[in-house]
């Protein structure tokens, strides 16, 4: 069984994001970019399934600019077999990405697509769900455990009341949560090997998908600066402040 893993190039999670002066978005100039952290978890899970003999091939796919090739190379260095770059300089919205992924799924026929639960740049948490809807496939979102059986996948999900396990019929969509696994680091020999692994280049037009954004960003603003904390001398003072200043008691 083939596993398809969509990986997005996003601002590295360690970078302090700067909002553009005109509020139209965030500044991407000279900023370190990396693979979306949830997508590293997806790649890791796909590789573990392959190593357990439950999958035969792991294909990583990214929709983005030419530099998204680096993101694909990261996945290949972790152990994925080949990559697909769908090249566009547009800001991609989840629906456009889901439509492109649908076309790739139809061509590649994977048994499982593992996506991140959300991209940390747009925080949309939509692509996996939209892809499941477009394909008419079952989906297990926010997975903290995935068990593959014969034609099925048991997905454990973190829900309000605890852990819920659902059984999906394959082919299916899974989106990954933080606790699913801890992604491996690529070793230097594997980074070198990844340079020789194939990356197929496509464009959204190849799939007949218009990626022009549908949403207009009205404004982007920095979060309000946090106020400094105060030290209290006693429990009594703390209770008094919570009651009379913060108004939370
Ligand atoms: P989102 O719905 O934007 O929060 O993204 C959820 C997941 O969809 C990500 O973790 C990726 O697995 C996938 N995804 C979103 N955008 C892209 C993209 N441009 N290229 C590849 N995968 C993407």
């Amino acid at each position: 069984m083939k596993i398809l893993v969509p990986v997005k190039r996003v601002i590295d999670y360690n970078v302090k994001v700067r909002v553009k002066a005109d509020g139209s978005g965030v500044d991407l100039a000279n900023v370190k970019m990396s693979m979306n952290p949830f997508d590293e978890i997806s790649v890791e899970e796909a590789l573990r399934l392959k190593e357990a003999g439950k999958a035969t091939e792991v294909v990583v796919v990214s929709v983005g600019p030419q530099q998204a090739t680096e993101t694909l190379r990261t996945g290949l260095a972790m152990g994925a077999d080949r990559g697909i770059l769908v090249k566009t300089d547009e800001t991609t919205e989840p629906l456009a990405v889901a439509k492109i992924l649908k076309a790739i799924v139809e061509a590649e026929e994977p048994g499982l697509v593992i996506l991140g639960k959300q991209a940390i740049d747009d925080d949309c948490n939509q692509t996996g769900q939209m892809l499941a809807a477009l394909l008419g496939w079952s989906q297990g979102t926010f997975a903290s455990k995935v068990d593959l059986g014969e034609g099925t996948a048991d997905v454990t999900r973190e829900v309000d009341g605890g852990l819920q396990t659902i059984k999906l019929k394959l082919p299916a969509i899974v989106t990954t949560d933080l606790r699913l696994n801890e992604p491996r680091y690529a070793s230097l020999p594997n980074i070198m090997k990844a340079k020789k692994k194939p990356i197929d280049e496509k464009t959204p037009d190849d799939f007949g998908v218009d990626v022009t954004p549908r949403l207009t960003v009205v404004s982007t603003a920095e979060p309000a600066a946090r106020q400094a904390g105060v030290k209290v001398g006693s429990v009594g003072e703390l209770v008094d402040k919570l009651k009379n200043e913060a108004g939370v008691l």
Side-chain angles (χ1 to χ4, degrees):
M1 183 184 74
K2 193 189 285 185
I3 303 181
L4 189 72
V5 184
V7 293
K8 188 176 187 187
R9 177 179 184 264
V10 297
I11 292 189
D12 187 272
Y13 70 96
N14 288 307
V15 169
K16 165 126 179 47
V17 174
R18 288 185 315 265
V19 171
K20 282 189 194 165
D22 64 1
S24 62
V26 297
D27 198 354
L28 296 183
N30 303 317
V31 169
K32 180 170 186 251
M33 307 289 283
S34 301
M35 184 188 292
N36 182 43
F38 290 102
D39 302 349
E40 288 182 358
I41 296 173
S42 309
V43 174
E44 176 65 35
E45 194 63 17
L47 294 175
R48 289 187 189 187
L49 289 169
K50 188 180 166 196
E51 285 157 2
K54 294 181 174 169
T56 47
E57 192 185 22
V58 176
V59 182
V60 282
V61 49
S62 193
V63 182
Q66 187 66 47
Q67 297 93 313
T69 311
E70 294 157 20
T71 314
L72 292 170
R73 292 269 173 231
T74 305
L76 298 174
M78 286 172 75
D81 298 286
R82 62 187 169 89
I84 302 171
L85 172 68
V86 182
K87 207 177 136 191
T88 173
D89 289 323
E90 280 285 7
T91 302
T92 50
E93 290 177 355
L95 183 57
V97 175
K99 285 180 183 169
I100 292 170
L101 293 176
K102 174 177 186 266
I104 294 177
V105 164
E106 283 164 355
E108 294 278 344
E109 300 184 332
L112 196 60
V113 184
I114 310 182
L115 305 92
K117 76 166 178 183
Q118 79 195 59
I120 62 163
D121 53 356
D122 58 21
D123 275 344
C124 279
N125 172 235
Q126 295 170 1
T127 311
Q129 293 90 328
M130 285 178 170
L131 179 61
L134 291 175
L135 288 166
W137 286 11
S138 42
Q139 59 181 318
T141 51
F142 311 111
S144 58
K145 188 159 177 248
V146 177
D147 270 331
L148 280 191
E150 279 301 312
T152 60
D154 287 351
V155 175
T156 302
R157 320 176 52 241
E158 290 183 19
V159 293
D160 263 1
L163 295 175
Q164 175 195 60
T165 302
I166 53 172
K167 193 176 279 299
L168 309 179
K169 209 165 105 272
L170 298 180
I173 306 290
V174 167
T175 71
T176 57
D177 214 331
L178 274 183
R179 271 170 283 274
L180 180 59
N181 62 46
E182 206 165 299
R184 69 194 66 188
Y185 288 104
S187 65
L188 191 57
N190 285 346
I191 293 173
M192 301 313 284
K193 264 191 229 156
K195 293 189 190 217
K196 295 206 183 96
K197 291 186 180 174
I199 294 182
D200 206 7
E201 276 200 28
K202 302 271 185 202
T203 66
D205 284 346
D206 293 336
F207 305 109
V209 177
D210 179 6
V211 290
T212 314
R214 294 165 167 233
L215 305 175
T216 309
V217 176
V218 180
S219 69
T220 312
E222 301 256 5
R226 278 182 67 179
Q227 284 181 353
V230 285
K231 269 195 179 164
V232 290
S234 67
V235 173
E237 194 187 340
L238 173 66
V239 172
D240 178 63
K241 281 192 184 296
L242 290 175
K243 240 188 216 163
N244 301 318
E245 282 181 29
V248 293
L249 284 183

